[in-house]
Amino acid sequence: MLRRSMSKIMKAIFFSDVDGTLLDDNYSYEKALSGINLLKERGIPLCLISSKTFDEMTELCGELDLYFPFGFENGAGIAYPQRDGFSFELFSDITDLMDEVIPLIERFSGEKIFPLKALSVAEIARLTGLSYKRASLAKERKTSVPFVTSCGGKLPHDVFDEINLLLASYDLVITSGARFNHILKKGIDKGFAVKKIEEFYCNCVEFPLTAAAGDSHNDVPMLLAVKKAYVVRRSDGTYMDTYKNFIFTEQIGPWGFSEAVRDFMSLINFY
């Protein structure tokens, strides 16, 4: 396994969500480039952890020249840099449970729900604003199950606790990302991905200072797993409801990501 951009003096890792944090509502990362470049200048790995698929993430990391481990499908898969791209490891496969679980959620919520993988590329493109090419990449799920309701939206967050009680016997949970709800294996989430990536770096970084930025409820496990957690302001000016001890950015989306990086840099004593 190739370990790139690592040294004994590197003492920090920055984790980030993608949609709504690194990318704006139009899937542009232009406003995040100042933060991305600052991390590169300081030799700090930027490890992305997203609900996106492996194929979507390899394309994005290639565009940004980020050859660091990343988490995909909400941390159910971890990718590792190799000389010719990325290899990956999967940590759960819940698809065989969906014939039982989806009707259970539908009965409780009163909503018809549709897994992303069951939608056509055209439907995914319409719901997300992605190009057909990128919508086809979003459809290639390996382990997690994002879904939408019949109106193309998400279930209200206030029903999650009761639904998760119903899913407990399956060892599953639902959470909410920027555009979709997601069904995940309990304990296999973005916080799990942080821990696995820290293990990857353990021979090169002793007690690293870690930070993360995210804007949605599926980011909370990641934010709880690091030392400095940044909640990025959403494009409508609001924040997700979450723990008050997190740091809230003034700026929105990728501008907020860059704001978080600058604040994190001010905390590190480089040598």
Side-chain angles (χ1 to χ4, degrees):
M1 187 179 296
L2 180 64
R3 302 194 172 209
R4 299 177 63 172
S5 301
M6 293 185 282
S7 69
K8 288 294 184 181
I9 65 169
M10 186 195 75
K11 58 177 183 177
I13 306 171
F14 199 99
F15 298 92
S16 180
D17 171 49
V18 175
D19 287 331
T21 302
L22 198 82
L23 304 182
D24 65 18
D25 289 346
N26 296 314
Y27 302 104
S28 171
Y29 48 71
E30 182 179 353
K31 302 178 188 75
L33 286 176
S34 63
I36 293 170
N37 290 334
L38 182 55
L39 291 168
K40 287 181 178 180
E41 290 167 9
R42 299 297 180 89
I44 295 174
L46 172 56
C47 297
L48 305 180
I49 304 180
S50 174
S51 62
K52 289 183 177 296
T53 64
F54 174 78
D55 293 327
E56 289 178 285
M57 292 295 290
T58 52
E59 182 175 81
L60 177 62
C61 287
E63 288 180 16
L64 293 172
D65 195 28
L66 297 176
Y67 293 99
F68 308 111
F70 64 78
F72 59 95
E73 296 191 39
N74 281 300
I78 309 292
Y80 302 98
Q82 305 287 322
R83 286 185 174 84
D84 56 352
F86 291 89
S87 63
F88 65 83
E89 185 175 4
L90 299 179
F91 294 94
S92 73
D93 184 359
I94 63 174
T95 54
D96 59 339
L97 297 173
M98 292 305 103
D99 286 345
E100 294 180 56
V101 167
I102 287 176
L104 186 67
I105 297 173
E106 289 178 330
R107 285 196 297 271
F108 176 83
S109 67
E111 292 269 10
K112 184 72 174 173
I113 65 173
F114 300 90
L116 197 66
K117 200 164 187 176
L119 301 179
S120 69
V121 170
E123 288 172 317
I124 295 170
R126 178 179 58 81
L127 286 171
T128 62
L130 290 167
S131 67
Y132 271 48
K133 177 189 174 184
R134 292 193 171 182
S136 68
L137 297 181
K139 188 178 168 72
E140 294 304 313
R141 298 276 148 184
K142 299 183 184 300
T143 177
S144 66
V145 181
F147 66 87
V148 294
T149 64
S150 56
C151 63
K154 297 188 291 185
L155 295 174
H157 195 261
D158 58 11
V159 304
F160 281 21
D161 287 346
E162 292 178 87
I163 291 176
N164 283 332
L165 284 175
L166 294 175
L167 298 183
S169 61
Y170 297 92
D171 206 25
L172 300 174
V173 295
I174 66 165
T175 187
S176 184
R179 289 179 172 84
F180 303 109
N181 291 133
H182 301 264
I183 304 172
L184 305 170
K185 183 79 170 174
K186 188 174 182 179
I188 307 296
D189 52 28
K190 292 190 177 187
F192 172 83
V194 167
K195 293 181 176 64
K196 296 301 291 185
I197 291 171
E198 285 181 335
E199 289 174 9
F200 174 84
Y201 282 118
C202 68
N203 292 328
C204 298
V205 188
E206 188 174 3
F207 307 116
L209 180 59
T210 54
D215 74 319
S216 298
H217 287 94
N218 63 334
D219 297 319
V220 170
M222 172 180 71
L223 298 175
L224 288 171
V226 299
K227 295 180 175 69
K228 292 292 177 182
Y230 296 90
V231 176
V232 172
R233 197 174 189 177
R234 291 168 167 166
S235 60
D236 62 3
T238 65
Y239 301 95
M240 67 168 161
D241 296 328
T242 187
Y243 301 82
K244 301 301 183 185
N245 59 329
F246 291 163
I247 303 165
F248 292 76
T249 69
E250 289 292 330
Q251 298 296 313
I252 286 170
W255 275 318
F257 163 82
S258 292
E259 176 189 342
V261 170
R262 289 192 299 271
D263 183 78
F264 184 56
M265 293 299 98
S266 72
L267 303 175
I268 300 175
N269 179 26
F270 287 94
Y271 59 90

